[in-house]
Amino acid sequence: MTSEMLLPPQSVPNAGAVLNPFVIVDDAAGFVDFVAGAFGAEEDAGARTAMPDGTLIHAQLRLGTVDLMVADRQDGWPARPGLLQVWVRDVAAVLERATGRGATVVTEPTPFYGETTLGRMLDGWQNLWWLWAPAPGRPDPVPHWEGGSDTVFATLDRALRQLQR
């Protein structure tokens, strides 16, 4: 499907994505290190732009075809952590690497619909990550309203309610 409004994917500069997330956090440099370490992502060193006080007004990392852009929260700015979805090869392996870097597991690797595995984590900057991996041949789980587990909703609900506090 094409859109009259969106640039066609093949026309996005540097083989990028049509939509790219941007988060504003405290300690953007630390966040960049976390993402690079947890996902094996590369920072675009040429995009890193520091303010005179050393805070970052812009940094970005490439995850697949998407650029995750990051800035330090400035005085008077609210933090704007993200809700981010990433396709990975192995949900458990990413969770292990990320928890070693301070993240907490929200949802352990869980069978999900469409032959996928879902896991979630909360990083130290309060970004909530949905981690997805293909699981070919795995049957869909039984919905919780038909007697199956409610782990997928319950863990998300609990994490978001804790963030509200």
Side-chain angles (χ1 to χ4, degrees):
M1 174 186 252
T2 61
S3 166
E4 294 177 13
M5 305 307 286
L6 298 176
L7 191 63
Q10 66 274 14
S11 299
V12 176
N14 302 315
V18 173
L19 175 68
N20 296 283
F22 202 122
V23 297
I24 297 174
V25 297
D26 291 321
D27 185 21
F31 178 71
V32 167
D33 290 343
F34 168 81
V35 173
F39 295 101
E42 295 281 328
E43 179 184 2
D44 178 351
R48 184 178 274 232
T49 307
M51 301 284 283
D53 67 359
T55 60
L56 296 177
I57 194 64
H58 186 84
Q60 66 188 49
L61 301 104
R62 177 63 63 106
L63 288 91
T65 59
V66 172
D67 291 316
L68 173 58
M69 297 174 285
V70 183
D72 272 301
R73 184 174 63 86
Q74 302 295 308
D75 287 338
W77 291 12
R80 288 287 177 230
L83 304 174
L84 305 163
Q85 174 185 331
V86 181
W87 282 91
V88 299
R89 295 175 190 270
D90 183 335
V91 171
V94 172
L95 288 172
E96 183 176 337
R97 287 177 69 153
T99 56
R101 291 166 169 81
T104 57
V105 174
V106 170
T107 308
E108 292 288 345
T110 303
F112 199 72
Y113 301 94
E115 299 182 345
T116 60
T117 298
L118 165 68
R120 293 190 195 99
M121 67 178 175
L122 184 67
D123 66 31
W125 295 264
Q126 296 194 331
N127 296 288
L128 187 57
W129 299 82
W130 274 251
L131 307 173
W132 296 94
R138 178 185 295 150
D140 284 348
V142 174
H144 71 86
W145 53 87
E146 293 180 12
S149 170
D150 73 343
T151 298
V152 170
F153 176 77
T155 56
L156 175 64
D157 185 59
R158 184 170 41 255
L160 290 174
R161 288 178 190 280
Q162 287 173 346
L163 287 174
Q164 177 64 22
R165 296 182 195 121

